[in-house]
Amino acid sequence: NRVLHIMAVVQLRRDTEGRRYYRRKLAAGKTPMEAMRALKRRLSDIVYKRMVADARRLETGPGGHVGATLQSSAADLNPMIDTSEKSLPGPAETHLRADLSAAS
């Protein structure tokens, strides 16, 4: 809602189609708040149509992620382990800490 409000305010600042739409609503007898609400609804419809068109264009997979398939490692029973996820070859080495009182 906040972003739609900011979009509407920016539309009203300049000579845009949104400003002309707002003024037509005022001329039709709407209050300024009703005209603003109508402009925000119009903007939300435009944003939604763009999001749907982008999703279709990118052919998103399951979960809305591009390239996601049911055979991906996230959905696989035995996911591939990356090198950063492999265990270390042996136990960690212990390093003795120096006594702070001896250092001062």
Side-chain angles (χ1 to χ4, degrees), residues 62-84:
H65 299 287
V66 177
T69 65
L70 294 178
Q71 276 64 38
S72 69
S73 62
D76 196 5
L77 294 176
N78 207 355
M80 300 292 292
I81 297 176
D82 190 40
T83 55
S84 63

Side-chain angles (χ1 to χ4, degrees), residues 39-57:
L39 176 59
K40 287 185 206 180
R41 168 59 71 182
R42 184 171 186 263
L43 291 172
S44 72
D45 290 345
I46 292 169
V47 169
Y48 180 76
K49 286 177 187 174
R50 172 53 49 196
M51 289 172 59
V52 169
D54 286 348
R56 285 189 186 133
R57 184 178 54 83

Side-chain angles (χ1 to χ4, degrees), residues 3-14:
V3 171
L4 287 172
H5 180 76
I6 291 170
M7 288 169 60
V9 168
V10 169
Q11 289 280 309
L12 295 178
R13 286 184 183 163
R14 302 201 183 267

Side-chain angles (χ1 to χ4, degrees), residues 83 85-93:
T83 55
E85 297 170 344
K86 291 180 183 175
S87 60
L88 296 174
E93 295 180 18

